[in-house]
Amino acid sequence: MKNHSNSVHLGDHAMKHDQVMNRLGAVGLALISGAIALGAIGCMAGEESKPAPPTVGSANDGAKANTPSSASIVAKAGDISPSTLHAGPTVVAVKTLVTVSMPLPIGTPLVDPGEIPALVASTDALKIAQKGIANPTQMLPIDAPEGEAMLFLGPQLEDPGQIEAALSGIKVFDPSGKLINVRAPKMTFGGDHPKPMSAIPLAQHGAGMYTIKLDPVAIKAGVALDVHMPSSTIVMQMKPSTYEHLLGNEDVVDMYLADAGSGITGADVVGTLLDPELKPVKPLSFKDLGQGHYQAKLDNSTFSATDTIGAYLVDIKATGKTASGRDFLRSGRTGFHYGIPTARISSIGEMRTLKDASGLIEAFEIDVKLDNSTLDRLELSATLAAKGADGAEHPVVVAFAGDAFDPGSHVVTLRFDAGNARATHITGPYEIRNLKIFSLGTNTLFQRIATVASSGFIVPSLATLKPLAVIPPGLEQLIDDGKLFKE
């Protein structure tokens, strides 16, 4: 049977795979940003550099070592960090160190990508009458038929003619026994031809148990029964504890079930893990923690080193009765990215300033030590941030460094060009935020540290920052748009 998320008739009423992927990328996986950044690095060979500045100082111009400190890396709740490194898949990696620094448009507060995923809510109910099902009669509880509630019938077929034939073999009865899915006949040139319904408004029908009867044609096709109930008080909320589940880590998927805000206990909850190809791979067991909170574990019993790296989804179905005795069915979907960590940050040096012979600040740098278990092309990135007049932190400059790294320990330097900082007219104090290590070989975020402890650095004035020798077209456009400054 075709997966219901691709059904012809489910439309916007089932969360499609690409919608989930867009959410994952926007909120926490950084897959898209990582790929773009590396693409930018790969295309900007002219930006490759290993600067040897004449003057080096610490953030407070005191004498500091240029190597990273040995202090342990402390991750806060929501940060991504591997518990252990593994031998990863073999990748093709070209060893070419490339560094890029670019200013970020002013005015937008810094977003902490390390925050935990948000809850996704659902008042929908989805039941699949699988292809070849033995029972031709399916029962479907609908608790809130009022308003814009709809029942969608989705034969798992592609051909329009076959879909119409399957729909003709389905009869839907409301709790009173009234047939509700046959249109009134319309006169056509060829006679009366009532067209079968795939979308059934429910506002004129009562709450309760609906009966769906399938004929052999519909049974052979398999049918998705999808109920959209926007006004229902029975709400399912779901989220993974992280958007990047790494092999060896212990994470969870949480589900909360409530009726008008009161938790529903004792529900029968079934979870199904879907792989990147949307194929069901294994069930997930949800434990009732009380007060409407249900939880499934993601650990080494869920994944192994042989599992496909990529975006996984979790289909969740909950059935039961509310405290008032109403039958209900709730369906929802959440997701996360799975990866096998082969690199992590072991220590971080202090930010230092680089000056030219005339004393102008050319750049700010920070050295990061990483450990790598497998040859891979990695991208290290971080944001130089500062508080604005509104009291919120704003991104100032982002820096990237990409290279292929053999197994072992490596020190990577992130360079924030002072000319880029000058273009924002923000003079600090500067702090390092959103330090990340990303695998281009496996498209996996290995580690993210939202807040890097540093002493900060305040420049005396914009005039002490060395301006860019050449303003690239992209920066020129931001200046013309009023998002950056030329001087």
Side-chain angles (χ1 to χ4, degrees), residues 43 70 72 126 173 208 261 276 278 339 352 365 380:
C43 294
S70 59
S72 61
L126 178 67
F173 301 88
L278 288 178
R352 62 179 181 268
E365 288 190 344
L380 195 71

Side-chain angles (χ1 to χ4, degrees), residues 119-131:
L119 287 166
V120 177
S122 171
T123 56
D124 292 352
L126 178 67
K127 185 174 185 179
I128 304 295
Q130 296 188 10
K131 181 178 180 180

Side-chain angles (χ1 to χ4, degrees), residues 205-223:
H205 307 283
M209 197 67 70
Y210 283 62
T211 303
I212 297 93
K213 293 185 176 180
L214 311 176
D215 76 355
V217 176
I219 291 174
K220 183 178 180 181
V223 182

Side-chain angles (χ1 to χ4, degrees), residues 299-319:
D299 52 26
N300 286 343
S301 66
T302 311
F303 289 96
S304 71
T306 60
D307 287 315
T308 301
I309 295 171
Y312 284 72
L313 300 177
V314 180
D315 276 343
I316 306 174
K317 181 176 73 173
T319 57

Side-chain angles (χ1 to χ4, degrees), residues 110 383-387 393-397 428-433:
L110 182 70
T383 299
L384 196 66
K387 284 187 177 181
E393 281 197 326
H394 292 257
V396 179
V397 183
Y430 299 130
E431 302 286 352
I432 302 296
R433 299 291 182 257

Side-chain angles (χ1 to χ4, degrees), residues 92-168:
V92 176
V94 178
K95 295 181 180 180
T96 303
L97 174 63
V98 184
T99 62
V100 174
S101 171
M102 61 188 74
L104 296 171
I106 59 175
T108 303
L110 182 70
V111 176
D112 180 2
E115 97 180 78
I116 59 177
L119 287 166
V120 177
S122 171
T123 56
D124 292 352
L126 178 67
K127 185 174 185 179
I128 304 295
Q130 296 188 10
K131 181 178 180 180
I133 192 169
N135 187 359
T137 301
Q138 299 292 305
M139 309 304 293
L140 186 64
I142 297 179
D143 59 274
E146 61 273 6
E148 298 181 358
M150 299 285 291
L151 168 61
F152 298 89
L153 307 177
Q156 304 295 277
L157 298 164
E158 297 288 348
D159 181 82
Q162 292 179 345
I163 292 172
E164 188 167 321
L167 288 171
S168 299

